[in-house]
Amino acid sequence: MAPVATTEATVLDLATSSTRAVNERLTSPEAPKTVTVTGPQGAHALACGLDSDIDVTIEGHVGYYCAGMNQHATVTVTGNAGVGVAENMMSGTVRIKGDASQSAGATAHGGLLVIDGNAAARCGISMKGVDIVVGGNIGHMSAFMGQAGRLVVLGDAGEALGDSLYEARIYVRGTVASLGADCIKKEMREEHLTELRELLDAAGFDADPSEFTRYGSARQLYNFHVDNASAY
Amino acid sequence: MCGIVGLHLREPSLYPQLGALLTDMLGQMCDRGPDSAGMAIYGDRTWSPEGESTVSLLDCPIPAGELAATLSASLDTTVTGIDLTPTTILHGVVGAEDLAAAVRSVVPSARIIGFGDDLTVLKGVGNPIDLAHRFGLPSASGWQGVAHTRMATESAVTAEGSHPFSVGPDECLVHNGSFSNHMSIKHQLERDGVVFDSANDTEVGARFVAKQLAEGVDLEKALLMLNETFDGFYTLLVSTADSFAVVRDAISCKPAVIAETDQWVAMASEYRALANLPGVDNARIFEPEPEEVYVWHR
């Protein structure tokens, strides 16, 4: 495919080239620093596996697994994202200006995922170090088995928030439909207000940290004792 | 996986495009279910002429014309047969239930897959988009359509196992997922006199909804009752003579996205099936909430 060079950015159009061709271009050693991808039409696995500090803007709605496994790159989607956006992200920034479907940021180890709109069920499931900031609401079972990282929600959270949570920290400004097993409300100390302010600033949201409630693990599900290792 | 698409048109000037729009939507969902497919159109005047009822059937053992002639003689009215192998369509100026009963009497081995005053159901095995073109779906018109690409899990890959399941007049139910307690519900329905055609779990959902509607329950209430009764994973698209509805289970692991404009309401398993609809850039796009029933009326 022949990229169209403009003065502002390289434009890759999915109306005239395949998802694979676009992804190969984005991940090639000669990839331009700034790329606009047009015509996504809900395509799957767009901008996956990026591992440079490339800046990609996708104009429109994307399908499953957009920006998965991201490292270093900045990916912005102007529309909605399908299931599993930024799944297993390691670093970099992914921003969805619309809504995100289920399992946003699943198992992600690092980086920042910002969703301006709402995220559906299982947002941040098994998160392992990623920071996720959601401008709207999140669905049920969000941060299920979250192990590390921070989940910030400016709107409301659905049922079973933080079920079987390990050490991820959750901040919610709105209501929580219910807390999952071993997830409890926790005190907002100064260090948490500072941390939350930094996250909100990084995500570009103007909100007052004092309006948020912190949730975390009650640590009642840590049942393994090394003395019993021989029994396993 | 299975793929669901549905389109409920509000703007009459779009009616001639229904089949073409639905075919494009279906084509985007082929890789979610390449085994087989089914589609249902409300208001196509070739397949379901105004003022006539229509019956769709599979496995008709005699040619459509011969069956139509036999039915014309026994019902004393003109019945027209259309061969869309493996589906046969029959229509005539006679009540839908009466036409269906006559079909059962003449060809008891055939499977009725849809009946009503406005509804045509088409099913087959094979690549969904090839089937749609073979049936002539792109040139169909009408005010509402649903279609399904099937990745078989609960029963064999057959045309009968394709969705939609249409077991009540002008009713269709399309399912992505699987029910886990359908056998006990099926046994209860059988004790209440409901007769089943297949071993398919989705048919139990369709029979359950049809029973509630037949007893006078409205569609929204029927789907709330389904939520209370059925366990498992499901995204359902249910259509009737005047309605279009979506419901998901409490876990909602099966995908669904809805887009709504002043001209139409559309639902699909994935956004890419909606991407080419006219005016989609200005649509309100959202995911249905778990266990919430969404109903649009004509």
Side-chain angles (χ1 to χ4, degrees):
Chain A
M1 61 177 296
V4 181
T6 70
T7 52
E8 293 176 349
T10 297
V11 178
L12 304 178
D13 187 2
L14 281 155
T16 54
S17 47
S18 68
T19 302
R20 178 166 296 184
V22 167
N23 282 344
E24 283 177 353
R25 176 80 177 143
L26 296 176
T27 53
S28 77
E30 297 80 31
K33 281 287 177 202
T34 307
V35 177
T36 299
V37 177
T38 54
Q41 302 282 83
H44 289 190
L46 269 176
C48 273
L50 303 185
D51 59 0
S52 68
D53 61 354
I54 188 171
D55 190 328
V56 180
T57 299
I58 303 174
E59 292 183 345
H61 304 301
V62 297
Y64 285 22
Y65 307 123
C66 180
M69 302 176 286
N70 189 56
Q71 291 194 97
H72 310 303
T74 299
V75 178
T76 304
V77 176
T78 66
N80 300 336
V83 172
V85 64
E87 184 181 61
N88 214 45
M89 174 161 68
M90 304 304 283
S91 63
T93 301
V94 175
R95 181 172 211 117
I96 308 301
K97 292 196 170 180
D99 295 342
S101 185
Q102 306 171 40
S103 303
T107 74
H109 291 249
L112 174 65
L113 169 61
V114 182
I115 298 159
D116 287 356
N118 301 312
R122 295 170 281 275
C123 178
I125 183 171
S126 198
M127 52 196 285
K128 293 180 170 69
V130 67
D131 291 326
I132 304 174
V133 184
V134 181
N137 307 323
I138 58 171
H140 61 272
M141 294 295 278
S142 288
F144 173 54
M145 290 183 73
Q147 290 151 56
R150 287 82 57 97
L151 171 61
V152 179
V153 184
L154 279 77
D156 302 330
E159 303 279 357
L161 177 69
D163 191 89
S164 304
L165 195 66
Y166 290 84
E167 295 304 319
R169 288 196 288 283
I170 304 172
Y171 299 97
V172 181
R173 183 165 69 172
T175 60
V176 173
S178 68
L179 292 173
D182 212 34
C183 183
I184 56 170
K185 189 186 287 190
K186 292 191 167 183
E187 178 193 2
M188 281 288 266
R189 298 192 297 270
E190 192 54 42
E191 72 217 59
H192 303 114
L193 292 168
T194 303
E195 170 179 83
L196 181 53
R197 191 171 292 112
E198 288 170 2
L199 286 164
L200 289 165
D201 286 348
F205 286 112
D206 181 20
D208 180 356
S210 69
E211 294 175 354
F212 288 72
T213 303
R214 179 168 72 105
Y215 301 89
S217 173
R219 302 193 177 93
Q220 298 301 304
L221 297 179
Y222 284 82
N223 293 317
F224 177 79
H225 294 288
V226 74
D227 295 348
N228 301 328
S230 62
Y232 290 94
Chain B
M1 287 202 286
C2 295
I4 298 176
V5 297
L7 183 59
H8 172 95
L9 296 176
R10 292 165 157 164
E11 170 55 53
S13 67
L14 289 173
Y15 291 179
Q17 294 182 54
L18 176 71
L21 294 169
L22 198 68
T23 302
D24 183 74
M25 295 171 77
L26 184 69
Q28 294 295 326
M29 292 296 97
C30 279
D31 57 9
R32 293 189 67 91
D35 299 341
S36 54
M39 45 216 87
I41 293 283
Y42 289 79
D44 181 89
R45 295 304 169 219
T46 302
W47 294 331
S48 301
E50 185 110 48
E52 299 191 25
S53 68
T54 303
V55 170
S56 302
L57 62 157
L58 282 172
D59 303 328
C60 182
I62 58 175
E66 193 180 315
L67 175 59
T70 306
L71 292 167
S72 297
S74 67
L75 291 166
D76 197 23
T77 184
T78 302
V79 175
T80 303
I82 303 171
D83 178 6
L84 293 174
T85 305
T87 304
T88 302
I89 302 168
L90 299 158
H91 61 79
V93 185
V94 55
E97 304 269 7
D98 293 337
L99 183 55
V103 169
R104 279 191 199 95
S105 162
V106 175
V107 284
S109 65
R111 167 81 55 84
I112 291 178
I113 55 169
F115 64 98
D117 296 332
D118 215 17
L119 171 70
T120 309
V121 178
L122 306 163
K123 293 185 179 185
V125 172
N127 179 279
I129 202 69
D130 291 347
L131 284 170
H133 283 282
R134 215 172 74 211
F135 292 151
L137 184 67
S139 42
S141 61
W143 60 273
Q144 178 166 273
V146 302
H148 184 266
T149 63
R150 181 168 186 239
M151 185 169 281
T153 53
E154 294 293 304
S155 57
V157 179
T158 59
E160 290 88 347
S162 303
H163 305 203
F165 277 85
S166 175
V167 299
D170 289 308
E171 295 167 21
C172 285
L173 181 144
V174 178
H175 178 196
N176 176 20
S178 58
F179 295 127
S180 54
N181 63 339
H182 61 283
M183 287 308 291
S184 55
I185 299 166
K186 183 177 183 177
H187 292 149
Q188 182 58 51
L189 288 170
E190 284 175 330
R191 283 194 287 275
D192 293 341
V194 175
V195 177
F196 284 81
D197 286 334
S198 74
N200 190 292
D201 60 330
T202 304
E203 188 190 347
V204 184
R207 297 276 176 200
F208 179 89
V209 172
K211 182 170 187 289
Q212 311 313 325
L213 295 177
E215 290 172 0
V217 173
D218 70 29
L219 183 58
E220 182 172 11
K221 172 74 173 164
L223 294 179
L224 289 170
M225 292 167 73
L226 182 143
N227 275 346
E228 289 169 10
T229 310
F230 283 75
D231 286 334
F233 300 126
Y234 54 87
T235 290
L236 301 177
L237 176 59
V238 183
S239 56
T240 69
D242 66 354
S243 302
F244 184 84
V246 178
V247 66
R248 301 167 87 188
D249 68 89
I251 304 296
S252 293
C253 66
K254 294 299 175 187
V257 57
I258 292 171
E260 183 173 13
T261 72
D262 291 342
Q263 282 72 46
W264 46 260
V265 178
M267 179 268 171
S269 297
E270 297 180 41
Y271 171 76
R272 59 192 165 129
L274 310 175
N276 293 322
L277 288 173
V280 72
D281 289 344
N282 299 315
R284 183 172 80 96
I285 298 171
F286 62 99
E287 286 197 10
E289 296 286 334
E291 290 196 308
E292 188 151 334
V293 175
Y294 298 80
V295 184
W296 292 266
H297 298 289
R298 196 177 185 190

